[in-house]
Amino acid sequence: MATHFLEDTTVLTGRTMRHVTRSPDTIITTAVMPVAIMLMLVYVFGGAIHTGTVRYVTYMLPGVLLITIASGISYTAFRLFTDMQGGIFARFQSMPIARSGVLWAHVLTSLAANMISLVIVIAVAVAVGFRSGAGLLAWLAVAGLLILFTLALTWLAVIPGLTATSVEGASAFSYPLIFLPFVSSAFAPTSTMPGWLRAFADHQPATYIVNAIRDLFTKQPAGNTIWIALAWCVGILVVAYVLAGVVYRRKIS
C-alpha cells in the first residue's frame, strides 16, 4: 500500500512539476515581489531603522523569506482550483491510484517551487550585503523551519484551492498571510508599536519564526523562541492537513 502511494505520488508530482517548469515565470514572479520589498526596505527605509550591530538586510531577511513563501502558495491554490474546474480530479477517481497522492503531488510541487524562490531571494540578499556567520547546523535549522512553514501554508492553501468558486477567490486568501510579517518583528522592533498592536505582534506566529531564524543567522541563543516557532509551524500544519483532508473527501465523495 505504501509503495503504491509513493509510486502514484511520484508520477503525479512529475505531472505538476512539468506545469511549473513549462511556466518558470511563476517562480520568478513569486520571487520578484519579495525581492522588490527587500530592496525598498534596505535602500529607502533601512537607514531610519536602528538594529544595533546587525545590518538591516540581515535583520529583515527572515521576514522577506516568510513573505516569499506566502506569495508562492497562492499558485498552489490556483493549480488546485484549475484541476478541480478542469475535471482532473474526477478523471483520477476512475483510475486505480492513491487518492491522497493527488494532493501530495501539489504539496510537494509547492515545496520545490518555494525552495527555488527562497534561494533566489537569499542570493539577492547576499548581493546587497547579507552576511551570516551561522554554521551548518544553524543553516539546517533555518531550512527545517522554512520547510515546515511552507508545508503548513501549502496545506492551508489546499482548502481554498478545493472550495473556491473563482480564480480570484482561490488565490486571494494568501493576501492576509503576505501582510502578517509586516505586523511582527520582521522589519522593525515591536517596541516601537502602539501597545494594542504590540500585544498582537509579540505573540503571533510570524514573530516567533522570524526571531528564531534571525537568532540562527546571527549566532544568538534562540532559547525557547525556536521551540515556540516549531510548535506554531507543526500546529498549523496538523490543523490544515486535517481540514484539507476533510474538504477533499467531501469534494470527491
Side-chain angles (χ1 to χ4, degrees), residues 141-234:
V142 169
L145 270 175
L146 293 174
I147 288 171
L148 270 177
F149 187 67
T150 302
L151 287 172
L153 292 197
T154 300
W155 279 107
L156 207 57
V158 168
I159 300 169
L162 294 174
T163 59
T165 56
S166 67
V167 173
E168 293 78 11
S171 55
F173 89 101
S174 65
Y175 298 157
L177 299 177
I178 294 172
F179 180 73
L180 199 60
F182 289 100
V183 193
S184 73
S185 63
F187 305 113
T190 58
S191 57
T192 63
M193 300 177 183
W196 60 271
L197 185 60
R198 180 180 180 181
F200 170 77
D202 280 342
H203 298 96
Q204 61 123 321
T207 290
Y208 286 109
I209 298 169
V210 162
N211 288 346
I213 294 175
R214 184 182 293 140
D215 288 340
L216 290 166
F217 277 156
T218 57
K219 300 174 69 174
Q220 298 297 315
N224 290 330
T225 303
I226 193 167
W227 299 112
I228 298 173
L230 281 170
W232 270 112
C233 289
V234 173

Side-chain angles (χ1 to χ4, degrees), residues 100-119:
S100 58
V102 180
L103 289 186
W104 272 106
H106 281 280
V107 170
L108 293 176
T109 298
S110 170
L111 182 61
N114 274 289
M115 290 304 106
I116 295 171
S117 296
L118 289 172
V119 169

Side-chain angles (χ1 to χ4, degrees), residues 8-173:
D8 291 344
T9 302
T10 300
V11 172
L12 292 169
T13 301
R15 167 187 169 270
T16 52
M17 281 298 297
R18 282 192 293 273
H19 290 175
V20 173
T21 54
R22 288 171 184 168
S23 181
D25 55 303
T26 58
I27 295 177
I28 296 171
T29 303
T30 299
V32 164
M33 184 186 70
V35 165
I37 291 172
M38 178 171 62
L39 295 177
M40 179 186 67
L41 289 171
V42 168
Y43 292 114
V44 179
F45 302 110
I49 300 175
H50 301 288
T51 56
T53 58
V54 179
R55 298 188 67 173
Y56 187 62
V57 65
T58 302
Y59 180 89
M60 49 81 76
L61 179 58
V64 174
L65 296 179
L66 298 196
I67 290 174
T68 304
I69 294 169
S71 176
I73 59 164
S74 64
Y75 286 101
T76 303
F78 169 75
R79 286 190 293 267
L80 276 164
F81 173 80
T82 302
D83 278 356
M84 285 292 294
Q85 296 300 307
I88 298 297
F89 282 87
R91 294 180 198 172
F92 285 152
Q93 283 299 102
S94 63
M95 300 178 182
I97 61 174
R99 292 185 177 185
S100 58
V102 180
L103 289 186
W104 272 106
H106 281 280
V107 170
L108 293 176
T109 298
S110 170
L111 182 61
N114 274 289
M115 290 304 106
I116 295 171
S117 296
L118 289 172
V119 169
I120 294 172
V121 172
I122 292 173
V124 175
V126 170
V128 299
F130 167 70
R131 298 293 183 270
S132 173
L136 177 60
L137 289 179
W139 274 101
L140 289 175
V142 169
L145 270 175
L146 293 174
I147 288 171
L148 270 177
F149 187 67
T150 302
L151 287 172
L153 292 197
T154 300
W155 279 107
L156 207 57
V158 168
I159 300 169
L162 294 174
T163 59
T165 56
S166 67
V167 173
E168 293 78 11
S171 55
F173 89 101

